[in-house]
Amino acid sequence: MTIRVAPALLGADPLNLDTAITHVERIEVPYLHLDVMDGHYTDDINFGLRTIAAVRERTHMPLDIHLQTLRPERYLDALIDIGVERVSIHVDACDQIATALDTLQSAGIGKGLVLNPDLPLHRLEPHLDRLDFVILMTSQPGTSTFDPTVVTKIKTLRALLTERFLDTTELVADGGITDHTAPHVIAAGIDTLVAASGVFRAADADPHAAVERLAHANRSTAPQ
């Protein structure tokens, strides 16, 4: 199975985002992941609509927008106008999930739901057959501490997708993804790794090499 790695711009030097984008444009990655944080759902504030619009003008890479916000539906029309390719919302932050998914589908935008480590999988189940992808947070939003209990949840969700003939639904791990944690989620059945500091703050300062290491991580390299 080919593992994809999506660099999260949150891990880049905020004073050198243009350089970071240049680096990932030279690497074979599926999309550029941008976290939107409103200071309420998470403590941090990051990547508002103006920044996303500027990134859209700067690069032709597909943009994957992760709305770590309350009432994420407020931002959908603006993101559609900007021309992003994918949007995900947290199941516990949106009261009208079906309507939000309708809005994204009508605009031809990839639609995903996000589940935090402390939430049960049944929160996703009513919407699974409508999703292009699911993000399982492997750390709490706004943090980067990997939660190993999510590995079992990944296995369970992978089995559920197979049972429902939804094998084309992309399964994404996001949060605390490094050379040490990636093998565990890969072995559990993940398709795509979202990595921030794991790409942009690698010890060798080489994003390309960091992506290659993550994409080819295997269980034998994982800590026991």
Side-chain angles (χ1 to χ4, degrees), residues 3 5 27-29 179 193 198-199 206-217:
I3 302 300
V5 179
I27 309 171
E28 188 175 345
V29 296
D179 296 352
L193 307 169
V199 169
D206 184 347
H208 182 271
V211 166
E212 287 295 306
R213 284 195 301 273
L214 290 169
H216 294 94

Side-chain angles (χ1 to χ4, degrees), residues 35-53:
D35 295 284
V36 177
M37 300 177 177
D38 62 359
H40 297 285
Y41 189 78
T42 62
D43 292 336
D44 200 1
I45 298 174
N46 205 66
F47 293 155
L49 294 172
R50 290 181 63 190
T51 301
I52 294 171

Side-chain angles (χ1 to χ4, degrees), residues 31 86-89 91 111-116 121 124-125 127-137 153-154 157-158 161 166 168-174 190-192 194:
Y31 42 78
R86 295 159 53 102
V87 174
S88 57
I89 59 180
V91 294
K111 51 198 182 301
L113 288 180
V114 189
L115 191 74
N116 291 339
L121 284 174
L124 295 171
E125 289 192 43
H127 312 285
L128 277 180
D129 61 349
R130 300 199 58 198
L131 302 178
D132 298 299
F133 62 102
V134 174
I135 297 178
L136 290 184
M137 294 299 295
K153 191 176 292 186
I154 294 169
L157 181 55
R158 172 55 70 200
L161 292 173
L166 298 172
T168 59
T169 304
E170 180 188 358
L171 194 49
V172 183
D174 181 0
I190 217 74
D191 297 305
T192 305
V194 171

Side-chain angles (χ1 to χ4, degrees), residues 73-93:
E73 62 274 13
R74 294 176 293 165
Y75 304 105
L76 298 184
D77 288 341
L79 291 171
I80 290 168
D81 289 342
I82 289 170
V84 305
E85 281 74 17
R86 295 159 53 102
V87 174
S88 57
I89 59 180
H90 283 252
V91 294
D92 57 324

Side-chain angles (χ1 to χ4, degrees), residues 96-119:
Q96 302 293 329
I97 292 177
T99 301
L101 295 177
D102 286 342
T103 298
L104 293 171
Q105 183 168 326
S106 296
I109 291 177
K111 51 198 182 301
L113 288 180
V114 189
L115 191 74
N116 291 339
D118 56 342
L119 294 178

